[in-house]
Amino acid sequence: MVRSTRKNDWGFPRWRGYGSSSDAQQVRLCDRHGCAKAGNCPAPKSPNNPDRWMFCEEHAAEYNRGWDYFEGLTKEEAEQREANERRDASGYKEAAHYGWAGSGDGSRTRDEMHALDILGLDSDSTFEDAKKAWRKIAKETHPDVNPGNADAAKAFQAGQAAYDVLRVAEERREWKG
């Protein structure tokens, strides 16, 4: 006859976490051949397919480096898909002012990155850098300085639009509600 032993998870305080137990846990291994790490990162097997690979973090990062979401689509089809997904996700736009931190961590949108490119700035530039770059472009390309020059007028308008995108994004980040 086997004598039962007392466990440490009775009473208060609990000595183990609430999710822990002495039973064996099921662990799914990484789907990469030869890898023995836990596979807890899902990755699509192909575009528009619900089947998923389960990779460890290292192999998921390797897989995602070569992933092209718009592979096999023409430029028009890719733009249509992006427009549809932006429309479908527009309900989440309300929470956009909860930016996490500075640039480089995914807090800048594609439009902001494009605006920084137009102003000739790096992705980690501050709003003050954007102001300086905009003033420089405005002084060089303003229609009053270059009357009749269509290229300068287009450059001025592009710079103005880029600055407006960055200004609105900065206001959204600083909004305190």
Side-chain angles (χ1 to χ4, degrees):
M1 187 161 128
V2 177
R3 182 176 171 196
S4 65
T5 59
R6 184 176 244 182
K7 296 201 178 230
N8 278 341
D9 57 356
W10 56 273
F12 184 82
R14 289 179 60 96
W15 300 107
R16 291 192 289 163
Y18 283 101
S20 66
S21 68
S22 57
D23 300 334
Q25 297 292 321
Q26 291 283 1
V27 175
R28 178 169 179 155
L29 294 180
C30 179
D31 285 335
R32 181 72 179 259
H33 180 71
C35 183
K37 296 179 183 176
N40 51 7
C41 298
K45 288 188 176 184
S46 64
N48 303 319
N49 187 349
D51 295 335
R52 302 281 186 245
W53 296 107
M54 294 301 286
F55 291 126
C56 63
E57 287 185 23
E58 176 184 341
H59 291 124
E62 179 183 326
Y63 180 81
N64 287 335
R65 260 184 243 119
W67 181 260
D68 182 10
Y69 183 70
F70 300 108
E71 182 178 0
L73 299 177
T74 64
K75 184 177 180 183
E76 292 80 21
E77 292 171 335
E79 289 173 355
Q80 181 64 35
R81 179 180 282 183
E82 182 178 4
N84 289 341
E85 290 185 4
R86 284 183 186 264
R87 183 192 67 235
D88 294 344
S90 63
Y92 299 105
K93 190 67 176 168
E94 183 178 342
H97 62 273
Y98 292 112
W100 288 99
S103 63
D105 61 355
S107 64
R108 291 199 191 262
T109 64
R110 178 183 292 184
D111 294 334
E112 291 175 65
M113 296 302 289
H114 185 65
L116 288 171
D117 286 340
I118 290 172
L119 295 176
L121 298 172
D122 293 330
S123 62
D124 60 346
S125 299
T126 64
F127 184 65
E128 295 301 319
D129 296 335
K131 275 186 188 178
K132 290 177 187 174
W134 162 237
R135 287 184 184 132
K136 180 180 174 191
I137 289 174
K139 285 179 183 178
E140 295 171 358
T141 62
H142 196 278
D144 291 343
V145 176
N146 299 310
N149 188 346
D151 292 336
K154 284 184 182 179
F156 179 79
Q157 290 173 349
Q160 177 67 45
Y163 176 74
D164 287 342
V165 166
L166 294 172
R167 181 183 50 80
V168 168
E170 184 68 16
E171 289 172 0
R172 192 172 53 237
R173 277 191 199 91
E174 292 180 352
W175 183 71
K176 302 297 182 205

